[in-house]
Amino acid sequence: MSVAAPAVSEHGFDAWVAHKRGRRINNWLLVAAALAVLGWCFWDTIMVDTDWARMGGALGIGGTLERFLWIDWSLVPHLIVPALETLMMATLGTLLGCVLSLPVAWFGAANVTPNKYIFYPVGRFLMVLSRSIHEIIWALLFVGAVGLGALPGILAVAMRSIGFISKITAEAIENIDPKPVEAIRAVGGNQFQVMYYGIVPQILPVIIGTIIFEWDINIRRSAIMGLVGAGGLGLVFFRQMAMFNYGGVTLVVLAVLVLIAIGEVVSHYARKAVI
């Protein structure tokens, strides 16, 4: 004997239709509100604040862009040393940041920190501090402290690298297999032996891969350090802009792109070999 399906009352159907209509209206109201906010942001930040008269309209913009198309190839010999200086800042800054990030990672890993109430918050605070302050701000601070040149760029890159390297390292330490650590401690191993034999072998591929990736990122950071007087291609870029040599600016941008491409290739194959 079959059981008939319960019939839907007319009142229930009307309520369902009203609910769907209400949701549809609410969705359209949300879309309209989002478009209104977007339009207000576009008008207030672009249309109002832009000096359209100075730009000369569409033709003026096209004429300005045309100046960048005539590349000043005579500047090529003068870019070799700044390009090498940029690579040097990225490499030395990454190595220094790696060394400085080791104690920060040790403090910031919950399973190995000396004290969860003192050292752990300090380690986590240093990670956040390093990643929160932009590398240009670090460079400005170190230019004021040690003067112009590559040294403040190296220090700025190092300080910016601490947060990323130490955070990834600390998380890798917290996710290790605890059995080797417990075995070393059970036979009387000290803290150094636990770290060297029980922890480092498990996280070494992650650390090396992170350092290589950070070096790749630091090439980009080092390329703009010269804007605040820290040397490298950024300083050449700043000088060409100050002289209104648009062709030289384009050449420096191309040099930065080539340098970044080299870093991408080296980083890719290096991380592939390690990981």
Side-chain angles (χ1 to χ4, degrees), residues 49-274:
D49 287 344
T50 302
D51 189 358
W52 297 102
R54 181 179 180 183
M55 295 172 63
L59 296 177
I61 296 175
T64 302
L65 294 177
E66 186 181 0
R67 301 175 187 176
F68 290 94
L69 300 179
W70 302 98
I71 301 176
D72 185 6
W73 296 105
S74 63
L75 193 63
V76 171
H78 303 283
L79 295 181
I80 298 176
V81 174
L84 294 176
E85 191 175 43
T86 300
L87 280 176
M88 179 199 69
M89 281 195 292
T91 304
L92 294 181
T94 303
L95 292 176
L96 180 59
C98 177
V99 173
L100 296 176
S101 65
L102 293 179
V104 178
W106 179 37
F107 290 166
N111 55 339
V112 297
T113 184
N115 191 299
K116 291 185 178 181
Y117 301 101
I118 299 177
F119 291 103
Y120 181 77
V122 170
R124 290 292 169 172
F125 171 75
L126 293 176
M127 295 178 193
V128 174
L129 178 66
S130 172
R131 291 182 290 114
S132 300
I133 300 178
H134 197 271
E135 55 268 15
I136 290 295
I137 306 300
W138 285 118
L140 285 171
L141 294 175
F142 286 115
V143 165
V146 302
L148 303 175
L151 180 59
I154 295 172
L155 296 176
V157 170
M159 293 302 297
R160 192 68 169 84
S161 302
I162 291 175
F164 182 74
I165 297 177
S166 60
K167 181 176 177 60
I168 299 299
T169 303
E171 291 180 353
I173 293 175
E174 291 178 347
N175 293 325
I176 62 171
D177 184 4
K179 294 179 181 178
V181 176
E182 295 173 357
I184 296 174
R185 287 175 177 169
V187 297
N190 54 34
Q191 187 65 29
F192 175 78
Q193 292 171 330
V194 169
M195 182 70 70
Y196 188 78
Y197 294 105
I199 298 177
V200 172
Q202 297 189 58
I203 65 173
L204 189 59
V206 176
I207 294 177
I208 296 178
T210 302
I211 293 172
I212 295 172
F213 182 69
E214 185 70 7
W215 173 79
D216 181 22
I217 297 175
N218 285 338
I219 293 178
R220 298 166 174 79
R221 292 171 177 163
S222 301
I224 63 172
M225 289 297 173
L227 296 177
V228 293
L233 288 173
L235 182 58
V236 182
F237 180 88
F238 177 78
R239 289 172 177 171
Q240 297 305 309
M241 285 293 293
M243 295 187 297
F244 298 99
N245 183 12
Y246 299 102
V249 171
T250 303
L251 185 63
V252 175
V253 172
L254 291 177
V256 172
L257 290 176
V258 171
L259 206 62
I260 291 175
I262 294 174
E264 285 281 352
V265 173
V266 174
S267 173
H268 171 74
Y269 286 103
R271 282 187 284 116
K272 192 174 181 180
V274 173

